Amino acid sequence: MPNQWTGKGNPYTRSEVLERLNDTISKGEAIIAAGAGTGISAKFIEKGGADLIIIYNSGRFRMMGHGSTAGMMAYGDANAVAMEIGEYEVLPVVEEVPVICGVHATDPRRRMWHWLGKVKDMGFSGVNNFPTHTIIDGHFRGVLEETGMSVQKEYEMVALGRKMDLFSIVYVGSPEEAVEMAKAGADAIIAHVGTTVGGSIGVTNAVASWDDTIKRTQDIIDAANTVRKDILFLCHGGPINTPEDAARVIDKTDCVGFVGASSLERMGVEASLTSLTREFKSISLKRKN
């Protein structure tokens, strides 16, 4: 379905994004959303047929060769980085796919209504809650909750985005968070089961088992469904790394799609560059007398 506007990087309304995604489902196809940290990644992810492109600060660190978790640390202004990637790299090259902006909703320096206005004006079609407190636990999570940087700020950002006609696709790590995001009006919920395995900078030890991954994903879905029945559910992280992995979770849960960041962008670059370089290095010299 073509955009009602013409030219590159023009935004969709919330209802237009939902119409596109539901059209994908009606064709019997899974929704594939992909994180992009560079313009060239976004350009060729779109050519591959992705349904959504999501921009967040971790993409920049990922494409610098660092772990995506760097996006959770104080290594820069997460909101400014996402906006910069969108403005100068991704939005100018994406032809038609809706582009979603990662928003660090708990940043106490931002007036969120003002920031979301900028996100919308830039040409993004929706918002995502990254960096997100939903993947932080333990004592540090408790400190954040008690000192004014609560995950509640993320719920409020999603509710505000809905009022501003921005599509929302959000990470949650628990059924309780799924319920709150459903109440806030999230259009799509991503069941995040941990940092992605594999590759040069993926985790190897802190990974959920397959049984736990499938159970946690379905528990999140079931919880959100107690609030609303119109939410789209996607899976992400942990052992879900390949197309076969994503298909396994989609087959065993009520997910209708997959969100790939490291598993699409980083893995693709690592594999293709290594393979192509090896092909060039296989060239042998024939000495001339």
Side-chain angles (χ1 to χ4, degrees), residues 5 27 41 48 64 109 128 134 155 173 205 213 244 258 280:
W5 307 106
K27 295 174 182 175
S41 296
M64 291 167 62
R109 304 165 301 169
N128 167 260
T134 65
Y155 308 147
N205 296 320
T213 293
E244 293 76 18
F258 168 71
F280 276 109

Side-chain angles (χ1 to χ4, degrees), residues 201-223:
I201 49 178
V203 298
T204 55
N205 296 320
V207 182
S209 68
W210 272 111
D211 286 344
D212 185 48
T213 293
I214 290 166
K215 182 180 185 302
R216 285 174 60 188
T217 299
Q218 190 60 47
D219 285 348
I220 284 169
I221 293 170
D222 291 341

Side-chain angles (χ1 to χ4, degrees), residues 142-162:
V143 171
L144 291 171
E145 295 295 324
E146 290 185 27
T147 54
M149 291 166 280
S150 168
V151 71
Q152 180 65 33
K153 299 285 188 181
E154 297 182 31
Y155 308 147
E156 292 169 359
M157 182 274 289
V158 170
L160 183 57
R162 177 143 183 171

Side-chain angles (χ1 to χ4, degrees), residues 31-254:
I31 294 168
I32 302 299
T38 66
I40 195 165
S41 296
K43 186 173 185 176
F44 288 95
I45 285 169
E46 179 176 36
K47 286 184 180 296
D51 299 286
L52 295 173
I53 292 173
I54 308 176
I55 309 303
Y56 21 55
N57 70 325
S58 64
R60 172 158 292 175
F61 292 109
R62 183 166 56 243
M63 299 311 286
M64 291 167 62
H66 307 302
S68 297
T69 306
M72 297 292 295
M73 304 301 289
Y75 302 148
D77 184 335
N79 284 309
V81 169
M83 182 71 81
E84 184 179 86
I85 296 171
E87 179 176 9
Y88 297 115
E89 297 191 50
V90 173
L91 289 169
V93 300
V94 170
E95 297 280 355
E96 197 225 357
V97 174
V99 181
I100 310 301
C101 186
V103 175
H104 192 190
T106 57
D107 185 340
R109 304 165 301 169
R110 301 285 181 185
R111 294 168 292 158
M112 198 46 55
W113 62 269
H114 183 250
W115 185 249
L116 292 189
K118 289 187 175 184
V119 167
K120 189 169 184 177
D121 287 345
M122 184 55 63
F124 288 99
S125 298
V127 293
N128 167 260
N129 62 325
F130 194 90
T132 175
H133 288 0
T134 65
I135 58 175
I136 299 174
D137 57 15
H139 176 74
F140 184 52
R141 172 69 179 270
V143 171
L144 291 171
E145 295 295 324
E146 290 185 27
T147 54
M149 291 166 280
S150 168
V151 71
Q152 180 65 33
K153 299 285 188 181
E154 297 182 31
Y155 308 147
E156 292 169 359
M157 182 274 289
V158 170
L160 183 57
R162 177 143 183 171
K163 288 182 180 179
M164 298 173 70
D165 200 32
L166 286 163
F167 173 81
S168 59
I169 176 169
V170 300
Y171 288 115
V172 303
S174 70
E176 294 77 17
E177 291 163 350
V179 166
E180 294 304 317
M181 281 298 191
K183 290 178 180 177
D187 296 302
I189 288 178
I190 309 161
H192 195 306
V193 295
T195 303
T196 304
V197 302
S200 64
I201 49 178
V203 298
T204 55
N205 296 320
V207 182
S209 68
W210 272 111
D211 286 344
D212 185 48
T213 293
I214 290 166
K215 182 180 185 302
R216 285 174 60 188
T217 299
Q218 190 60 47
D219 285 348
I220 284 169
I221 293 170
D222 291 341
N225 276 334
T226 65
V227 180
R228 289 178 22 233
K229 299 292 187 183
D230 61 342
I231 301 169
L232 303 174
F233 296 100
L234 299 93
C235 56
H236 174 80
I240 315 169
N241 186 25
T242 67
E244 293 76 18
D245 295 335
R248 179 177 180 178
V249 178
I250 290 169
D251 181 60
K252 293 182 178 296
T253 68
D254 293 328

